[in-house]
Amino acid sequence: MSRLTGAFARAKASGATGLVTYVTAGDPDLERSREILVRLGRAGADILEVGVPFSDPLADGPVIQRATERAIAAGSTLVKVLGMVSDVRSLVNAPIVIFSYANPILRMGLDEFVSRARQAGVDGVLTLDVPPEESQQFREALSRARIDTIFLLSPTTSAERIRRAAALGTGFLYGISRLGVTGARDDVADSARELADRVRKETAMPLALGFGISRPEHVRAVSQFADAAVVGSALVNVIAEHGQSPRLLDEVERYVRWLKS
């Protein structure tokens, strides 16, 4: 059983909703980013999603774009991100998913990336701009290394593509609860439930829903129709607010424990 499969199985057995936490690797710097991952695991995050900084993050809103800029300015690269994952792998029990655009991976070389990811202890890879139809090379390379390939679904994803993503993907499906770019919102969009209902008709694969999650009530809402909630921009914003404070790690841990409550 992979770590991702195990994480969803444990959450289901306990009757809890999983929490997936996204951070941009290298924000505010590589050392504190490493420490943040450890604190996220300690706070009870079920899956750690580690974003690879990329200079043209088309799907990201202003909060994560600024985090990407800070991370790149701090010297974060894909090589260093994988090194950071390797450093924390023995310190956290939660699965670790690399969240990246295709460009950094292809620039490193797919086989080299997969080899380094396996050595680092990466459990899954979500490549934002590689759709299921164009994923064969990625999937085959990751599968050989026993790393899960995760696909994105949106409110406009057709039933046929949901079936294809479920058939070709492993680990879990990542549902975007609303159209547009990343960013915290006041409520969970109605389209989130509609997407979840359509996914449930096509597959039993675990579903994590993100885009807009920022408060415990959002997690509770998502728990009614999905297996996990994904918090991204709101957590990245906590890091931005306290990035230069000695309380940074405590604030990150406090925030995630609050969401888990």
Side-chain angles (χ1 to χ4, degrees), residues 50-63:
V50 180
V52 176
F54 178 53
S55 58
D56 194 18
L58 296 178
D60 292 316
V63 171

Side-chain angles (χ1 to χ4, degrees), residues 213-227:
I213 307 298
S214 63
R215 299 198 293 266
E217 54 264 36
H218 295 164
V219 178
R220 285 196 295 273
V222 167
S223 73
Q224 299 173 36
F225 44 81
D227 301 285

Side-chain angles (χ1 to χ4, degrees), residues 73-221:
S76 184
T77 65
L78 180 53
V79 170
K80 293 179 179 178
V81 171
L82 293 174
M84 181 179 71
V85 171
S86 180
D87 289 344
V88 304
R89 179 66 280 177
S90 64
L91 302 176
V92 296
N93 294 322
I96 297 176
V97 173
I98 291 292
F99 188 98
S100 180
Y101 291 86
N103 185 285
I105 294 173
L106 295 176
R107 183 169 182 178
M108 174 182 283
L110 179 57
D111 290 339
E112 178 69 12
F113 165 73
V114 171
S115 176
R116 287 176 180 254
R118 180 179 182 180
Q119 292 173 19
V122 170
D123 298 290
V125 174
L126 193 163
T127 313
L128 273 157
D129 46 357
V130 176
E133 296 85 350
E134 300 174 12
S135 67
Q136 182 175 352
Q137 189 177 10
F138 278 74
R139 287 187 293 105
E140 290 178 350
L142 290 167
S143 178
R144 286 193 295 270
R146 298 184 179 180
I147 297 173
D148 287 318
T149 301
I150 300 156
F151 290 117
L152 286 172
L153 305 174
S154 80
T156 58
T157 300
S158 66
E160 179 184 358
R161 178 170 270 194
I162 291 172
R163 288 192 295 270
R164 183 175 298 159
L168 300 178
T170 54
F172 67 97
L173 293 169
Y174 186 125
I176 298 170
S177 63
R178 64 181 74 233
L179 298 178
V181 296
T182 57
R185 303 292 195 276
D186 291 332
D187 51 30
V188 176
D190 291 339
S191 54
R193 179 184 286 275
E194 294 168 5
L195 172 60
D197 289 344
R198 293 198 298 117
V199 171
R200 294 301 192 208
K201 291 178 181 178
E202 307 298 338
T203 178
M205 184 179 289
L207 174 66
L209 280 175
F211 275 43
I213 307 298
S214 63
R215 299 198 293 266
E217 54 264 36
H218 295 164
V219 178
R220 285 196 295 273

